[in-house]
Amino acid sequence: MKKPVIFDIGWNACINCGACIAVCPQPAGFVSDFDTIAVNTPCEIACMKCEDICPVSTISHLVVAAQENPHK
Amino acid sequence: MEFDIVIVGAGPAGSTVARKVAAAGFSVLIVDKRQELGSPIQCSGAVSRHALLENGVEPDTEFIHEPIYGFKIMNGLGGEKEIDYRKLKPNVYGTQEGANPLGYVVDRRRFDRYLLTQAERAGAKAWLKAEAIGYEQAGDDVIISIKHYNKIERVKTEIIIGADGLRSQVGKWAGIKTHIKLKELASCLQFVVDGVETNGLLELITGSQTAPGGYGWVFPKGNGYAEIGLGIIAPYTNVNAQVHLDRFIKNSFLSHRFKNARLLEVQGGGVPLASPLKKQFARNIILVGDAARHVNPITGGGIHTALSGGTVAAEFLIKHLPSGDDNSEKNLAEYQDNWLEAFGNQMWKLYDVKKKIFKEKDITIQDKKLFETMGNYFSPNSDYKKI
Ligand SMILES: Cc1cc2nc3c(=O)[nH]c(=O)nc-3n(C[C@H](O)[C@H](O)[C@H](O)COP(=O)(O)OP(=O)(O)OC[C@H]3O[C@@H](n4cnc5c(N)ncnc54)[C@H](O)[C@@H]3O)c2cc1C
Ligand code: SF4
Protein backbone atom coordinates (compact mmCIF):
# COMPACT_ATOMS: atom_id res chain seq x y z
CA MET A 1 0.00 0.00 0.00
CA LYS A 2 1.31 3.42 -0.93
CA LYS A 3 1.44 6.03 1.81
CA PRO A 4 -0.74 9.15 1.33
CA VAL A 5 1.10 12.28 0.31
CA ILE A 6 0.48 16.01 0.26
CA PHE A 7 1.70 17.82 -2.83
CA ASP A 8 3.62 21.04 -2.70
CA ILE A 9 3.93 23.30 -5.74
CA GLY A 10 6.75 25.77 -6.26
CA TRP A 11 4.52 28.57 -7.58
CA ASN A 12 7.42 30.59 -8.86
CA ALA A 13 8.17 27.98 -11.54
CA CYS A 14 4.59 26.79 -12.23
CA ILE A 15 3.46 27.90 -15.70
CA ASN A 16 -0.15 27.04 -14.95
CA CYS A 17 -0.33 24.49 -17.74
CA GLY A 18 -2.77 22.06 -16.12
CA ALA A 19 -0.94 18.93 -17.26
CA CYS A 20 -0.86 17.70 -13.66
CA ILE A 21 -4.67 17.70 -13.50
CA ALA A 22 -4.99 15.97 -16.86
CA VAL A 23 -3.03 12.88 -15.74
CA CYS A 24 -4.51 12.79 -12.24
CA PRO A 25 -6.70 9.71 -11.60
CA GLN A 26 -8.45 11.32 -8.59
CA PRO A 27 -12.18 12.00 -8.88
CA ALA A 28 -13.47 15.51 -9.74
CA GLY A 29 -12.37 18.33 -7.49
CA PHE A 30 -8.79 17.34 -6.68
CA VAL A 31 -7.62 20.74 -7.86
CA SER A 32 -6.19 23.89 -6.32
CA ASP A 33 -7.45 27.44 -6.73
CA PHE A 34 -4.54 27.99 -9.12
CA ASP A 35 -5.54 25.32 -11.66
CA THR A 36 -3.08 22.69 -10.49
CA ILE A 37 -3.60 19.45 -8.58
CA ALA A 38 -4.75 19.94 -4.99
CA VAL A 39 -2.12 21.06 -2.52
CA ASN A 40 -4.00 20.96 0.77
CA THR A 41 -5.72 17.56 0.57
CA PRO A 42 -3.86 14.29 1.08
CA CYS A 43 -3.69 12.02 -1.95
CA GLU A 44 -4.10 8.33 -1.12
CA ILE A 45 -3.40 7.15 -4.65
CA ALA A 46 0.12 8.61 -4.61
CA CYS A 47 0.84 7.54 -8.20
CA MET A 48 3.09 10.63 -8.67
CA LYS A 49 2.07 11.00 -12.31
CA CYS A 50 1.61 14.73 -11.72
CA GLU A 51 5.24 15.03 -10.67
CA ASP A 52 6.36 13.09 -13.74
CA ILE A 53 4.39 15.19 -16.24
CA CYS A 54 5.22 18.65 -14.89
CA PRO A 55 7.27 20.36 -17.64
CA VAL A 56 9.21 22.39 -15.09
CA SER A 57 9.41 19.77 -12.27
CA THR A 58 7.85 22.08 -9.72
CA ILE A 59 5.73 19.52 -7.86
CA SER A 60 7.10 17.75 -4.80
CA HIS A 61 5.40 15.84 -1.98
CA LEU A 62 5.54 15.01 1.67
CA VAL A 63 4.43 11.64 2.98
CA VAL A 64 1.59 12.20 5.44
CA ALA A 65 1.74 10.37 8.76
CA ALA A 66 -1.47 8.41 9.44
CA GLN A 67 -2.61 10.70 12.26
CA GLU A 68 -2.25 13.78 10.04
CA ASN A 69 -4.50 12.34 7.38
CA PRO A 70 -8.03 13.66 7.93
CA HIS A 71 -9.47 10.95 5.67
CA LYS A 72 -8.27 8.08 7.90
CA MET B 1 -32.43 31.17 -13.88
CA GLU B 2 -32.94 28.79 -16.77
CA PHE B 3 -31.21 28.19 -20.14
CA ASP B 4 -31.69 25.52 -22.80
CA ILE B 5 -27.99 24.69 -22.56
CA VAL B 6 -25.11 25.74 -20.32
CA ILE B 7 -21.61 25.52 -21.76
CA VAL B 8 -18.65 25.17 -19.41
CA GLY B 9 -15.56 26.63 -21.05
CA ALA B 10 -15.24 29.38 -23.68
CA GLY B 11 -12.37 27.96 -25.73
CA PRO B 12 -12.77 27.20 -29.45
CA ALA B 13 -15.04 24.20 -28.74
CA GLY B 14 -17.39 25.92 -26.28
CA SER B 15 -17.74 29.17 -28.19
CA THR B 16 -18.52 27.29 -31.41
CA VAL B 17 -21.34 25.37 -29.73
CA ALA B 18 -22.59 28.64 -28.18
CA ARG B 19 -22.55 30.59 -31.46
CA LYS B 20 -24.34 27.93 -33.47
CA VAL B 21 -26.98 26.93 -30.91
CA ALA B 22 -27.75 30.57 -30.00
CA ALA B 23 -28.03 31.48 -33.70
CA ALA B 24 -30.69 28.77 -34.03
CA GLY B 25 -32.78 30.59 -31.42
CA PHE B 26 -32.09 28.60 -28.24
CA SER B 27 -31.13 30.17 -24.91
CA VAL B 28 -27.45 29.59 -24.18
CA LEU B 29 -25.27 30.43 -21.19
CA ILE B 30 -21.51 30.03 -21.66
CA VAL B 31 -19.26 30.37 -18.61
CA ASP B 32 -15.50 30.54 -18.24
CA LYS B 33 -13.50 30.77 -15.06
CA ARG B 34 -10.84 32.95 -16.65
CA GLN B 35 -10.81 36.73 -16.65
CA GLU B 36 -9.07 36.90 -20.03
CA LEU B 37 -9.86 34.07 -22.43
CA GLY B 38 -6.91 32.17 -23.83
CA SER B 39 -4.62 33.42 -21.11
CA PRO B 40 -2.20 32.16 -19.93
CA ILE B 41 -1.55 30.86 -23.43
CA GLN B 42 -1.30 27.08 -23.60
CA CYS B 43 -1.15 26.73 -27.37
CA SER B 44 1.06 27.48 -30.39
CA GLY B 45 -1.93 28.69 -32.35
CA ALA B 46 -1.46 26.94 -35.71
CA VAL B 47 -4.72 26.33 -37.52
CA SER B 48 -5.63 25.75 -41.16
CA ARG B 49 -7.68 28.30 -43.08
CA HIS B 50 -9.95 25.45 -44.12
CA ALA B 51 -10.68 24.63 -40.45
CA LEU B 52 -11.82 28.20 -39.82
CA LEU B 53 -13.96 28.55 -42.94
CA GLU B 54 -15.53 25.09 -42.55
CA ASN B 55 -16.76 26.13 -39.11
CA GLY B 56 -17.99 29.58 -40.06
CA VAL B 57 -15.04 31.59 -38.70
CA GLU B 58 -13.78 34.32 -41.05
CA PRO B 59 -9.99 34.78 -40.84
CA ASP B 60 -9.61 38.19 -39.20
CA THR B 61 -6.62 40.41 -38.51
CA GLU B 62 -7.93 40.75 -34.96
CA PHE B 63 -6.48 37.33 -34.13
CA ILE B 64 -4.00 36.43 -36.89
CA HIS B 65 -0.32 36.63 -35.95
CA GLU B 66 1.03 35.35 -39.26
CA PRO B 67 -0.13 33.49 -42.39
CA ILE B 68 1.30 30.01 -43.00
CA TYR B 69 2.07 28.39 -46.36
CA GLY B 70 3.36 24.94 -45.51
CA PHE B 71 5.61 22.73 -43.42
CA LYS B 72 9.20 21.65 -43.03
CA ILE B 73 9.83 18.42 -41.19
CA MET B 74 13.36 17.72 -39.95
CA ASN B 75 14.86 14.85 -38.00
CA GLY B 76 18.16 16.37 -36.89
CA LEU B 77 20.10 13.72 -38.81
CA GLY B 78 20.00 15.44 -42.16
CA GLY B 79 16.49 14.26 -43.06
CA GLU B 80 14.34 17.15 -44.30
CA LYS B 81 11.01 17.29 -46.06
CA GLU B 82 9.69 20.66 -47.15
CA ILE B 83 6.04 20.89 -48.15
CA ASP B 84 5.61 24.47 -49.31
CA TYR B 85 2.18 24.96 -50.84
CA ARG B 86 3.36 28.22 -52.44
CA LYS B 87 5.48 26.00 -54.70
CA LEU B 88 3.13 23.01 -54.92
CA LYS B 89 -0.04 24.94 -55.77
CA PRO B 90 1.07 28.46 -56.69
CA ASN B 91 -2.33 29.48 -58.03
CA VAL B 92 -4.08 28.57 -54.80
CA TYR B 93 -1.62 29.40 -52.01
CA GLY B 94 0.54 32.48 -51.69
CA THR B 95 0.46 36.23 -51.29
CA GLN B 96 -0.53 37.07 -54.86
CA GLU B 97 -4.00 38.26 -55.86
CA GLY B 98 -6.58 35.44 -55.70
CA ALA B 99 -4.34 33.15 -53.64
CA ASN B 100 -4.64 32.51 -49.91
CA PRO B 101 -2.57 31.25 -47.02
CA LEU B 102 -2.83 27.57 -46.12
CA GLY B 103 -3.39 28.51 -42.51
CA TYR B 104 -2.44 30.89 -39.74
CA VAL B 105 -0.69 31.18 -36.45
CA VAL B 106 -3.29 32.85 -34.28
CA ASP B 107 -3.05 34.69 -30.99
CA ARG B 108 -5.15 32.50 -28.69
CA ARG B 109 -6.03 35.46 -26.44
CA ARG B 110 -7.54 37.33 -29.37
CA PHE B 111 -8.86 34.22 -31.15
CA ASP B 112 -10.80 32.97 -28.13
CA ARG B 113 -12.14 36.47 -27.46
CA TYR B 114 -13.20 36.79 -31.11
CA LEU B 115 -15.04 33.44 -31.00
CA LEU B 116 -16.85 34.48 -27.82
CA THR B 117 -17.79 37.80 -29.39
CA GLN B 118 -19.38 35.96 -32.31
CA ALA B 119 -21.27 33.71 -29.86
CA GLU B 120 -22.55 36.69 -27.89
CA ARG B 121 -23.56 38.51 -31.08
CA ALA B 122 -25.54 35.39 -32.03
CA GLY B 123 -27.44 35.73 -28.74
CA ALA B 124 -25.49 33.64 -26.19
CA LYS B 125 -25.12 35.01 -22.67
CA ALA B 126 -21.55 34.88 -21.36
CA TRP B 127 -20.11 35.02 -17.86
CA LEU B 128 -16.39 35.30 -17.16
CA LYS B 129 -14.83 34.73 -13.72
CA ALA B 130 -17.48 32.03 -13.53
CA GLU B 131 -16.36 28.56 -12.50
CA ALA B 132 -18.75 25.64 -12.84
CA ILE B 133 -18.39 23.54 -9.70
CA GLY B 134 -20.95 20.74 -9.94
CA TYR B 135 -24.48 19.77 -10.82
CA GLU B 136 -27.49 17.92 -9.49
CA GLN B 137 -30.40 16.19 -11.16
CA ALA B 138 -33.78 18.00 -11.32
CA GLY B 139 -36.19 15.66 -13.09
CA ASP B 140 -35.16 15.47 -16.73
CA ASP B 141 -33.14 18.69 -16.29
CA VAL B 142 -30.11 19.50 -14.17
CA ILE B 143 -29.11 22.39 -11.94
CA ILE B 144 -25.53 23.48 -12.43
CA SER B 145 -23.73 25.46 -9.72
CA ILE B 146 -21.49 28.24 -10.92
CA LYS B 147 -19.20 30.29 -8.69
CA HIS B 148 -19.37 33.78 -10.17
CA TYR B 149 -17.42 36.51 -8.35
CA ASN B 150 -17.66 34.44 -5.17
CA LYS B 151 -21.44 34.07 -5.43
CA ILE B 152 -22.93 30.65 -6.15
CA GLU B 153 -25.46 30.86 -8.98
CA ARG B 154 -27.74 27.87 -9.58
CA VAL B 155 -28.86 27.55 -13.17
CA LYS B 156 -31.41 25.09 -14.49
CA THR B 157 -30.71 23.60 -17.90
CA GLU B 158 -31.45 20.67 -20.15
CA ILE B 159 -27.89 19.89 -21.14
CA ILE B 160 -24.43 20.81 -19.86
CA ILE B 161 -21.73 21.01 -22.51
CA GLY B 162 -18.36 20.14 -21.01
CA ALA B 163 -15.99 22.21 -23.19
CA ASP B 164 -13.67 22.66 -20.24
CA GLY B 165 -10.47 21.57 -21.92
CA LEU B 166 -7.69 19.23 -20.96
CA ARG B 167 -8.38 19.37 -17.20
CA SER B 168 -12.08 18.67 -17.70
CA GLN B 169 -14.01 18.16 -14.49
CA VAL B 170 -17.45 18.01 -16.13
CA GLY B 171 -16.76 14.54 -17.50
CA LYS B 172 -15.57 13.42 -14.08
CA TRP B 173 -18.75 14.78 -12.45
CA ALA B 174 -20.71 12.44 -14.71
CA GLY B 175 -18.48 9.49 -13.85
CA ILE B 176 -16.70 9.45 -17.22
CA LYS B 177 -13.06 8.39 -16.93
CA THR B 178 -11.26 11.35 -18.43
CA HIS B 179 -7.73 11.28 -17.05
CA ILE B 180 -5.01 10.61 -19.57
CA LYS B 181 -2.29 7.98 -19.38
CA LEU B 182 1.12 9.43 -18.60
CA LYS B 183 2.57 7.94 -21.77
CA GLU B 184 -0.13 9.62 -23.84
CA LEU B 185 0.13 13.18 -22.56
CA ALA B 186 2.88 15.30 -24.08
CA SER B 187 4.43 17.66 -21.57
CA CYS B 188 5.05 20.84 -23.57
CA LEU B 189 7.04 24.01 -23.09
CA GLN B 190 7.56 26.86 -25.57
CA PHE B 191 9.25 30.22 -25.71
CA VAL B 192 8.11 33.15 -27.81
CA VAL B 193 11.30 34.84 -28.94
CA ASP B 194 12.63 37.72 -30.97
CA GLY B 195 15.66 37.29 -33.23
CA VAL B 196 14.86 33.96 -34.92
CA GLU B 197 14.11 33.98 -38.62
CA THR B 198 11.23 32.05 -40.14
CA ASN B 199 9.72 31.96 -43.62
CA GLY B 200 6.02 31.19 -43.50
CA LEU B 201 6.43 27.48 -42.74
CA LEU B 202 5.63 25.47 -39.63
CA GLU B 203 8.89 23.67 -38.83
CA LEU B 204 8.56 20.37 -37.00
CA ILE B 205 11.51 18.48 -35.57
CA THR B 206 11.10 14.78 -34.89
CA GLY B 207 13.50 12.41 -33.17
CA SER B 208 14.11 11.16 -29.66
CA GLN B 209 17.27 13.25 -29.54
CA THR B 210 15.13 16.42 -29.56
CA ALA B 211 11.83 15.37 -28.04
CA PRO B 212 11.38 11.77 -26.88
CA GLY B 213 7.86 10.59 -27.72
CA GLY B 214 6.86 13.95 -29.19
CA TYR B 215 8.43 16.58 -31.41
CA GLY B 216 9.91 20.05 -31.40
CA TRP B 217 8.71 23.08 -33.36
CA VAL B 218 9.66 26.50 -34.66
CA PHE B 219 6.63 28.54 -35.70
CA PRO B 220 6.46 32.07 -37.15
CA LYS B 221 4.68 34.32 -34.69
CA GLY B 222 4.26 37.62 -36.55
CA ASN B 223 6.18 40.89 -36.18
CA GLY B 224 9.45 39.02 -36.66
CA TYR B 225 8.85 36.84 -33.59
CA ALA B 226 9.01 33.05 -33.47
CA GLU B 227 7.91 30.31 -31.15
CA ILE B 228 10.37 27.56 -30.20
CA GLY B 229 8.90 24.65 -28.33
CA LEU B 230 8.69 20.95 -27.78
CA GLY B 231 6.55 18.27 -26.23
CA ILE B 232 7.95 15.13 -24.61
CA ILE B 233 6.43 11.96 -23.21
CA ALA B 234 7.65 11.70 -19.62
CA PRO B 235 8.22 7.91 -19.40
CA TYR B 236 10.52 8.09 -22.46
CA THR B 237 13.04 10.39 -20.79
CA ASN B 238 14.51 11.04 -17.38
CA VAL B 239 14.55 14.83 -17.64
CA ASN B 240 11.71 17.32 -18.00
CA ALA B 241 10.53 19.38 -20.99
CA GLN B 242 12.44 22.41 -19.72
CA VAL B 243 15.76 20.56 -19.90
CA HIS B 244 14.97 19.23 -23.38
CA LEU B 245 14.02 22.71 -24.61
CA ASP B 246 17.18 24.18 -23.17
CA ARG B 247 19.24 21.51 -24.99
CA PHE B 248 17.30 22.07 -28.20
CA ILE B 249 18.01 25.78 -28.13
CA LYS B 250 21.62 25.66 -26.98
CA ASN B 251 22.90 22.39 -28.29
CA SER B 252 21.13 21.03 -31.34
CA PHE B 253 21.48 21.06 -35.13
CA LEU B 254 19.35 24.24 -35.13
CA SER B 255 21.23 26.09 -32.36
CA HIS B 256 22.96 28.38 -34.86
CA ARG B 257 19.52 29.80 -35.74
CA PHE B 258 18.69 30.45 -32.09
CA LYS B 259 21.91 32.18 -31.02
CA ASN B 260 20.31 35.65 -31.10
CA ALA B 261 16.99 34.53 -29.61
CA ARG B 262 15.66 36.98 -27.05
CA LEU B 263 12.99 35.60 -24.72
CA LEU B 264 9.56 37.28 -24.74
CA GLU B 265 7.10 34.77 -23.28
CA VAL B 266 7.10 31.36 -21.56
CA GLN B 267 4.14 29.07 -22.24
CA GLY B 268 3.31 25.42 -21.81
CA GLY B 269 0.67 22.82 -21.45
CA GLY B 270 -0.31 19.22 -21.89
CA VAL B 271 -1.26 17.76 -25.26
CA PRO B 272 -3.09 14.45 -25.32
CA LEU B 273 -1.52 12.23 -27.99
CA ALA B 274 -4.25 9.81 -27.08
CA SER B 275 -7.38 8.24 -28.43
CA PRO B 276 -10.63 10.20 -28.26
CA LEU B 277 -12.72 9.32 -25.20
CA LYS B 278 -14.65 6.10 -25.82
CA LYS B 279 -17.70 7.75 -24.25
CA GLN B 280 -18.22 11.49 -24.69
CA PHE B 281 -21.71 11.84 -23.23
CA ALA B 282 -23.79 10.94 -20.18
CA ARG B 283 -27.30 11.79 -19.02
CA ASN B 284 -27.65 15.60 -19.54
CA ILE B 285 -23.95 15.87 -20.46
CA ILE B 286 -22.04 16.25 -23.72
CA LEU B 287 -18.25 16.61 -23.88
CA VAL B 288 -16.51 18.40 -26.72
CA GLY B 289 -12.98 19.55 -27.68
CA ASP B 290 -10.04 18.66 -25.43
CA ALA B 291 -12.51 17.58 -22.74
CA ALA B 292 -13.51 14.70 -25.05
CA ARG B 293 -9.91 14.37 -26.24
CA HIS B 294 -10.79 15.58 -29.71
CA VAL B 295 -7.09 16.07 -30.40
CA ASN B 296 -5.10 14.83 -33.36
CA PRO B 297 -2.92 12.06 -31.83
CA ILE B 298 -0.10 12.54 -34.35
CA THR B 299 0.24 16.32 -34.48
CA GLY B 300 -1.34 17.26 -31.15
CA GLY B 301 -3.41 19.85 -33.02
CA GLY B 302 -6.71 20.49 -31.28
CA ILE B 303 -8.09 23.80 -32.59
CA HIS B 304 -9.55 22.37 -35.80
CA THR B 305 -11.00 19.38 -33.95
CA ALA B 306 -12.41 21.64 -31.20
CA LEU B 307 -14.15 23.86 -33.77
CA SER B 308 -15.45 20.89 -35.77
CA GLY B 309 -16.48 18.98 -32.64
CA GLY B 310 -18.33 22.12 -31.57
CA THR B 311 -20.15 22.20 -34.89
CA VAL B 312 -21.17 18.53 -34.61
CA ALA B 313 -22.42 19.08 -31.05
CA ALA B 314 -24.37 22.21 -32.07
CA GLU B 315 -26.02 20.47 -35.03
CA PHE B 316 -27.05 17.60 -32.78
CA LEU B 317 -28.46 19.95 -30.12
CA ILE B 318 -30.43 21.99 -32.64
CA LYS B 319 -32.24 18.78 -33.59
CA HIS B 320 -32.47 17.30 -30.10
CA LEU B 321 -33.67 20.28 -28.04
CA PRO B 322 -37.03 20.81 -29.77
CA SER B 323 -37.61 17.06 -30.31
CA GLY B 324 -39.39 16.37 -27.04
CA ASP B 325 -36.99 13.48 -26.38
CA ASP B 326 -35.72 13.30 -22.82
CA ASN B 327 -32.07 13.98 -22.01
CA SER B 328 -31.21 10.40 -21.15
CA GLU B 329 -27.86 8.93 -22.07
CA LYS B 330 -29.58 6.87 -24.77
CA ASN B 331 -30.92 9.97 -26.50
CA LEU B 332 -27.60 11.81 -26.39
CA ALA B 333 -25.61 8.90 -27.87
CA GLU B 334 -26.39 10.13 -31.39
CA TYR B 335 -24.04 13.07 -30.79
CA GLN B 336 -21.09 10.72 -30.56
CA ASP B 337 -22.28 8.66 -33.54
CA ASN B 338 -22.44 11.86 -35.62
CA TRP B 339 -19.01 12.89 -34.41
CA LEU B 340 -17.50 9.49 -35.26
CA GLU B 341 -18.95 9.67 -38.72
CA ALA B 342 -17.83 13.27 -39.31
CA PHE B 343 -14.21 12.73 -38.31
CA GLY B 344 -13.91 10.61 -35.18
CA ASN B 345 -13.36 7.38 -37.08
CA GLN B 346 -10.43 9.00 -38.84
CA MET B 347 -9.03 10.10 -35.50
CA TRP B 348 -9.21 6.52 -34.25
CA LYS B 349 -7.30 5.42 -37.36
CA LEU B 350 -4.67 8.07 -36.68
CA TYR B 351 -4.43 6.85 -33.11
CA ASP B 352 -3.69 3.33 -34.41
CA VAL B 353 -0.97 4.77 -36.66
CA LYS B 354 0.54 6.58 -33.69
CA LYS B 355 0.35 3.49 -31.46
CA LYS B 356 2.16 1.39 -34.06
CA ILE B 357 5.01 3.92 -34.24
CA PHE B 358 5.55 3.92 -30.49
CA LYS B 359 5.18 0.14 -30.13
CA GLU B 360 8.45 -0.10 -32.06
CA LYS B 361 11.16 -0.90 -29.52
CA ASP B 362 14.11 0.07 -31.72
CA ILE B 363 14.42 3.85 -31.22
CA THR B 364 16.15 4.39 -34.58
CA ILE B 365 13.26 2.72 -36.41
CA GLN B 366 10.72 4.52 -34.21
CA ASP B 367 12.30 7.89 -35.05
CA LYS B 368 12.35 7.02 -38.75
CA LYS B 369 8.68 6.03 -38.71
CA LEU B 370 7.61 9.23 -36.95
CA PHE B 371 9.58 11.37 -39.41
CA GLU B 372 7.96 9.59 -42.37
CA THR B 373 4.47 9.74 -40.87
CA MET B 374 4.72 13.47 -40.19
CA GLY B 375 5.94 14.05 -43.74
CA ASN B 376 3.07 12.04 -45.21
CA TYR B 377 0.55 13.63 -42.90
CA PHE B 378 1.17 17.14 -44.20
CA SER B 379 1.58 16.19 -47.85
CA PRO B 380 -1.06 17.26 -50.39
CA ASN B 381 -2.18 13.61 -50.76
CA SER B 382 -2.73 13.04 -47.06
CA ASP B 383 -5.78 10.93 -46.14
CA TYR B 384 -6.23 12.96 -43.00
CA LYS B 385 -6.67 16.50 -44.27
CA LYS B 386 -10.02 16.81 -42.54
CA ILE B 387 -8.48 16.72 -39.05
C1 LIG C 1 1.83 23.89 -25.86
C2 LIG C 1 0.62 23.62 -26.71
C3 LIG C 1 0.66 23.94 -28.05
C4 LIG C 1 -0.47 23.71 -28.85
N1 LIG C 1 -0.41 24.10 -30.14
C5 LIG C 1 -1.46 23.87 -30.96
C6 LIG C 1 -1.44 24.31 -32.31
O1 LIG C 1 -0.49 24.93 -32.77
N2 LIG C 1 -2.53 24.05 -33.09
C7 LIG C 1 -3.62 23.38 -32.60
O2 LIG C 1 -4.57 23.14 -33.38
N3 LIG C 1 -3.68 22.99 -31.31
C8 LIG C 1 -2.64 23.22 -30.47
N4 LIG C 1 -2.72 22.85 -29.15
C9 LIG C 1 -3.95 22.22 -28.65
C10 LIG C 1 -5.05 23.26 -28.45
O3 LIG C 1 -4.58 24.32 -27.66
C11 LIG C 1 -6.29 22.63 -27.76
O4 LIG C 1 -6.58 21.41 -28.36
C12 LIG C 1 -7.48 23.56 -27.84
O5 LIG C 1 -7.27 24.73 -27.09
C13 LIG C 1 -8.74 22.86 -27.31
O6 LIG C 1 -9.81 23.76 -27.28
P1 LIG C 1 -11.01 23.55 -26.24
O7 LIG C 1 -12.02 24.59 -26.55
O8 LIG C 1 -11.41 22.13 -26.23
O9 LIG C 1 -10.36 23.79 -24.79
P2 LIG C 1 -9.58 25.04 -24.19
O10 LIG C 1 -9.05 25.91 -25.23
O11 LIG C 1 -8.63 24.46 -23.20
O12 LIG C 1 -10.70 25.84 -23.40
C14 LIG C 1 -11.27 25.34 -22.21
C15 LIG C 1 -11.83 26.52 -21.43
O13 LIG C 1 -12.59 25.99 -20.33
C16 LIG C 1 -12.39 26.84 -19.21
N5 LIG C 1 -12.75 26.07 -18.02
C17 LIG C 1 -12.16 24.94 -17.57
N6 LIG C 1 -12.80 24.49 -16.47
C18 LIG C 1 -13.82 25.35 -16.22
C19 LIG C 1 -14.83 25.42 -15.22
N7 LIG C 1 -14.94 24.50 -14.27
N8 LIG C 1 -15.69 26.46 -15.24
C20 LIG C 1 -15.59 27.42 -16.21
N9 LIG C 1 -14.65 27.39 -17.18
C21 LIG C 1 -13.79 26.37 -17.19
C22 LIG C 1 -10.94 27.23 -19.31
O14 LIG C 1 -10.69 28.42 -18.58
C23 LIG C 1 -10.76 27.42 -20.82
O15 LIG C 1 -10.98 28.74 -21.22
C24 LIG C 1 -1.62 23.08 -28.31
C25 LIG C 1 -1.66 22.77 -26.95
C26 LIG C 1 -0.55 23.03 -26.15
C27 LIG C 1 -0.62 22.68 -24.71
S1 SF4 D 1 2.10 20.47 -14.28
FE1 SF4 D 1 3.60 21.77 -13.14
S2 SF4 D 1 3.68 23.69 -14.31
FE2 SF4 D 1 1.82 22.61 -15.01
S3 SF4 D 1 0.15 23.43 -13.68
FE3 SF4 D 1 0.89 21.55 -12.69
S4 SF4 D 1 2.47 22.30 -11.24
FE4 SF4 D 1 2.13 24.00 -12.68
Side-chain angles (χ1 to χ4, degrees):
Chain A
M1 266 272 286
K2 284 189 175 152
K3 293 204 172 115
V5 296
I6 287 227
F7 293 109
D8 180 50
I9 293 184
W11 300 111
N12 170 259
C14 173
I15 53 167
N16 221 248
C17 73
C20 48
I21 301 180
V23 288
C24 178
Q26 285 277 7
F30 196 77
V31 293
S32 78
D33 284 344
F34 301 100
D35 251 354
T36 65
I37 40 130
V39 285
N40 49 12
T41 317
C43 173
E44 283 91 355
I45 301 175
C47 66
M48 309 305 173
K49 287 182 181 158
C50 53
E51 292 190 15
D52 292 338
I53 198 76
C54 180
V56 291
S57 303
T58 198
I59 309 178
S60 56
H61 67 269
L62 279 175
V63 174
V64 190
Q67 68 272 25
E68 288 174 48
N69 184 348
H71 292 333
K72 291 257 155 160
Chain B
M1 222 176 307
E2 206 168 324
F3 289 85
D4 291 328
I5 62 165
V6 173
I7 301 165
V8 180
S15 286
T16 303
V17 181
R19 169 168 50 94
K20 299 206 166 198
V21 175
F26 298 96
S27 62
V28 174
L29 174 66
I30 179 165
V31 300
D32 202 291
K33 61 186 177 188
R34 292 181 176 173
Q35 64 195 59
E36 183 188 14
L37 293 180
S39 174
I41 289 186
Q42 291 153 357
C43 183
S44 308
V47 61
S48 68
R49 180 179 161 82
H50 156 77
L52 299 181
L53 296 178
E54 179 186 73
N55 291 291
V57 182
E58 274 305 314
D60 196 296
T61 49
E62 180 178 340
F63 58 76
I64 293 171
H65 270 315
E66 189 154 340
I68 295 300
Y69 299 96
F71 309 89
K72 184 170 178 180
I73 297 106
M74 293 170 269
N75 66 4
L77 302 167
E80 276 190 18
K81 182 165 181 179
E82 192 176 283
I83 307 163
D84 189 337
Y85 282 80
R86 287 170 293 200
K87 295 176 190 158
L88 291 169
K89 297 187 177 180
N91 297 331
V92 186
Y93 301 108
T95 46
Q96 70 277 23
E97 179 106 25
N100 285 303
L102 181 70
Y104 306 94
V105 171
V106 300
D107 178 341
R108 281 296 304 269
R109 285 170 289 228
R110 296 296 161 258
F111 184 61
D112 289 22
R113 189 182 72 181
Y114 178 91
L115 295 178
L116 183 67
T117 310
Q118 303 307 315
E120 290 191 73
R121 285 181 184 166
K125 179 140 188 76
W127 293 349
L128 296 182
K129 294 291 267 182
E131 180 176 8
I133 51 176
Y135 76 99
E136 66 205 59
Q137 204 64 43
D140 186 39
D141 294 335
V142 283
I143 294 174
I144 180 167
S145 297
I146 299 159
K147 199 170 176 189
H148 190 203
Y149 291 109
N150 287 333
K151 190 169 162 226
I152 306 291
E153 304 280 4
R154 287 165 52 82
V155 180
K156 194 171 177 196
T157 187
E158 287 206 40
I159 297 181
I160 299 171
I161 311 299
D164 50 339
L166 183 73
R167 355 170 181 202
S168 178
Q169 300 288 301
V170 174
K172 284 191 176 183
W173 296 343
I176 300 174
K177 193 171 153 256
T178 58
H179 77 270
I180 305 165
K181 286 184 200 149
L182 191 60
K183 68 170 199 279
E184 298 205 318
L185 186 68
S187 173
C188 305
L189 191 67
Q190 63 184 20
F191 296 156
V192 178
V193 297
D194 185 26
V196 173
E197 275 189 27
T198 56
N199 75 340
L201 301 178
L202 298 179
E203 297 176 67
L204 308 171
I205 300 93
T206 62
S208 44
Q209 190 77 351
T210 304
Y215 65 88
W217 59 85
V218 182
F219 286 1
K221 204 67 187 166
N223 303 306
Y225 305 147
E227 197 166 63
I228 309 173
L230 52 73
I232 55 142
I233 294 292
Y236 294 173
T237 169
N238 50 18
V239 293
N240 65 23
Q242 190 182 14
V243 173
H244 280 283
L245 185 57
D246 192 56
R247 284 183 193 159
F248 179 48
I249 292 174
K250 292 192 186 134
N251 192 16
S252 77
F253 72 107
L254 287 182
S255 296
H256 62 283
R257 276 180 62 198
F258 305 148
K259 65 179 188 299
N260 295 323
R262 288 175 288 271
L263 181 66
L264 302 176
E265 288 179 36
V266 179
Q267 298 157 357
V271 173
L273 301 175
S275 67
L277 285 187
K278 288 202 176 110
K279 191 162 162 274
Q280 307 172 5
F281 60 91
R283 185 179 183 192
N284 301 91
I285 302 273
I286 280 178
L287 302 181
V288 67
D290 269 16
R293 275 194 244 133
H294 290 175
V295 180
N296 184 318
I298 299 276
T299 66
I303 301 177
H304 187 168
T305 43
L307 296 169
S308 301
T311 297
V312 173
E315 284 167 359
F316 167 76
L317 289 163
I318 291 166
K319 259 178 60 196
H320 170 79
L321 289 168
S323 69
D325 290 346
D326 66 29
N327 299 312
S328 61
E329 194 165 295
K330 186 171 136 265
N331 286 334
L332 301 191
E334 193 187 323
Y335 154 65
Q336 185 168 314
D337 296 341
N338 296 350
W339 178 81
L340 283 168
E341 201 180 312
F343 60 101
N345 287 328
Q346 277 204 321
M347 282 183 74
W348 273 101
K349 272 195 210 154
L350 265 184
Y351 177 64
D352 288 340
V353 173
K354 181 239 151 177
K355 250 191 358 196
K356 263 193 204 136
I357 298 174
F358 288 100
K359 254 198 184 140
E360 177 57 60
K361 293 270 179 312
D362 184 323
I363 295 294
T364 315
I365 300 176
Q366 193 188 92
D367 283 353
K368 190 167 168 270
K369 282 189 173 168
L370 184 62
F371 176 65
E372 281 168 8
T373 305
M374 282 282 199
N376 294 338
Y377 182 85
F378 291 112
S379 81
N381 317 319
S382 169
D383 290 341
Y384 300 105
K385 266 197 206 141
K386 248 184 157 178
I387 52 172

